[in-house]
Amino acid sequence: MKISRRALCAAALLTAASPLGFHASAASSAPKIRVGVLKFGTVNWELDTIKHNRFDAANGIDVEVVYFAGEDATNVAMLAGDLDVIVSDWLWVSRQRSEGEDLTLAPYSTAVGAIMVKQDAPIRAIPDLVGKKIGVTGGSLDKSWLLIQGLARRDHKIDLTRESEIVFGAPPLLSEKAVSGELDAVLNFWHFCARLEANGFRRLIGADDAARALGASGPVSALGYVFHDKWANENPDVAMSFVKASAQAKKLLAESDAEWQRLAPVVRAEGRELEVLRDRYREGIPRRPLAEEESDAAKLYEVLAELGGEKLVGAARQMAPGTFWAALKT
């Protein structure tokens, strides 16, 4: 079974699972796909759309959502063979492949974080961050943080880790500190940035801006649906049906404001905040041919390997072949 790249790009892959639970189920004979997600992650929005609209059943599969408390737990479950699909980034997939695993990835979302400042803040460019207190989520090896550091060093000869006060922390806490004025700027995940944007903040620079400045020719998916080559090779129709169901959900979320209103309790937003989250999500739907994304990811991998070293990428200095699912190139 094959579907066009256009159909795949229309949805790029997973962002959904409903904390409210799923009521519809596919026919008992339909192959089940176990998808591991964080309990309150944005992937739940797309999974909820798949289940509510029965896109899985329409494609002859039954998506079963399995909740986890943290990303490390989903990764361990995936490597142990307890799940069929998770959402992770291509850097992790490449490292696993380089170390002998057969994981591969189908693009899910190009939405990435950004450094956010208050609308009236006197911070207008990277040099204005010198001497400021910056909150950073994801830790010192966060890809967005590394890319922005790399751009600051190349274009402004600024080492933000030395010339600014960096505070690492959990996304909700850092957003709260930014709102209260305890931080001058904050680099957060895209959906936290969107909520800040709806409440008096503006984007100073996004990780996508840094990625393009450092060599990418267009948007690169930060995350993707991750699964084993062996599973996909043994169940090619099932794997592609999942991609198709995801694409249909993406298309609906791209076109229907009413669907976002239905999702409001899952998204936990309303009014202006829901609108900004909707718009930023739509901007993050992958639309480029897979070969272009793969090429740009390979370029960024080398940049990140230089910036993050072995702690980030392991021993491999280049992205592992097969990191992006080859079946999507046809």
Side-chain angles (χ1 to χ4, degrees):
M1 173 183 175
K2 293 184 179 180
I3 59 176
S4 70
R5 174 62 188 168
R6 177 176 304 223
L8 299 176
C9 286
L13 279 80
L14 209 82
T15 286
S18 171
L20 303 178
F22 299 120
H23 304 293
S25 63
S28 58
S29 60
K32 189 180 295 290
I33 298 178
R34 299 162 299 170
V35 183
V37 296
L38 302 185
K39 179 72 173 179
F40 298 107
T42 59
V43 178
N44 289 286
W45 310 347
E46 187 175 302
L47 289 176
D48 187 280
T49 302
I50 288 174
K51 297 301 292 187
H52 179 81
N53 294 280
R54 297 181 59 80
F55 290 139
D56 57 342
N59 287 285
I61 57 175
D62 179 12
V63 170
E64 177 186 359
V65 180
V66 183
Y67 296 110
F68 290 83
E71 183 179 356
D72 288 345
T74 64
N75 293 349
V76 169
M78 187 70 195
L79 293 174
D82 296 331
L83 297 169
D84 298 312
V85 178
I86 64 171
V87 174
S88 191
D89 62 55
W90 45 263
L91 206 60
W92 182 75
V93 171
S94 177
R95 179 165 186 167
Q96 296 303 314
R97 289 187 74 88
S98 297
E99 295 175 357
E101 293 287 344
D102 71 335
L103 296 180
T104 191
L105 169 151
Y108 155 61
S109 176
T110 67
V112 290
I115 291 184
M116 306 293 293
V117 298
K118 288 185 175 180
Q119 284 286 359
D120 58 356
I123 302 173
R124 297 289 171 181
I126 287 178
D128 297 329
L129 292 171
V130 172
K132 299 298 191 293
K133 192 173 184 178
I134 307 171
V136 175
T137 196
S140 61
L141 293 179
D142 177 75
K143 295 183 298 303
S144 296
W145 177 227
L146 289 173
L147 289 171
I148 291 173
Q149 283 184 69
L151 183 61
R153 290 175 185 172
R154 191 195 69 178
D155 290 1
H156 306 285
K157 305 299 185 288
I158 294 172
D159 183 345
L160 290 173
T161 64
R162 293 177 178 272
E163 300 180 57
S164 301
E165 181 182 353
I166 309 303
V167 178
F168 297 106
L173 177 62
L174 292 182
S175 284
E176 289 177 12
K177 288 184 176 295
V179 170
S180 69
E182 295 179 61
L183 298 173
D184 299 302
V186 60
L187 171 61
N188 217 327
F189 299 140
W190 79 266
H191 48 298
F192 286 94
C193 291
R195 293 183 193 275
L196 287 172
E197 183 181 348
N199 290 280
F201 281 68
R202 57 180 166 82
R203 293 164 64 92
L204 179 71
I205 181 170
D208 53 341
D209 302 316
R212 292 196 193 210
L214 293 172
S217 62
V220 178
S221 292
L223 299 172
Y225 288 115
V226 177
F227 41 87
H228 289 278
D229 272 329
K230 183 176 185 292
W231 174 77
N233 291 337
E234 292 176 350
N235 306 277
D237 289 354
V238 172
M240 201 63 80
S241 290
F242 176 75
V243 172
K244 187 174 180 181
S246 172
Q248 290 171 336
K250 279 278 202 297
K251 185 174 188 297
L252 181 61
L253 290 170
E255 298 174 352
S256 172
D257 292 349
E259 185 67 9
W260 282 96
Q261 289 298 324
R262 186 193 68 78
L263 278 174
V266 179
V267 179
R268 293 181 294 165
E270 57 185 16
R272 171 65 177 158
E273 192 168 279
L274 180 64
E275 291 175 358
V276 176
L277 285 161
R278 176 199 66 196
D279 293 347
R280 290 301 185 190
Y281 173 91
R282 287 172 173 173
E283 290 173 5
I285 296 175
R287 295 179 173 86
R288 294 205 294 159
L290 187 77
E292 291 182 14
E293 282 210 51
E294 185 177 39
S295 176
D296 280 342
K299 294 176 187 175
L300 293 177
Y301 182 97
E302 295 185 10
V303 173
L304 290 165
E306 181 68 25
L307 293 168
E310 191 168 341
K311 287 184 178 180
L312 180 67
V313 300
R317 306 304 291 181
Q318 295 183 321
M319 190 173 76
T323 294
F324 285 73
W325 192 29
L328 297 183
K329 295 180 184 178
T330 59

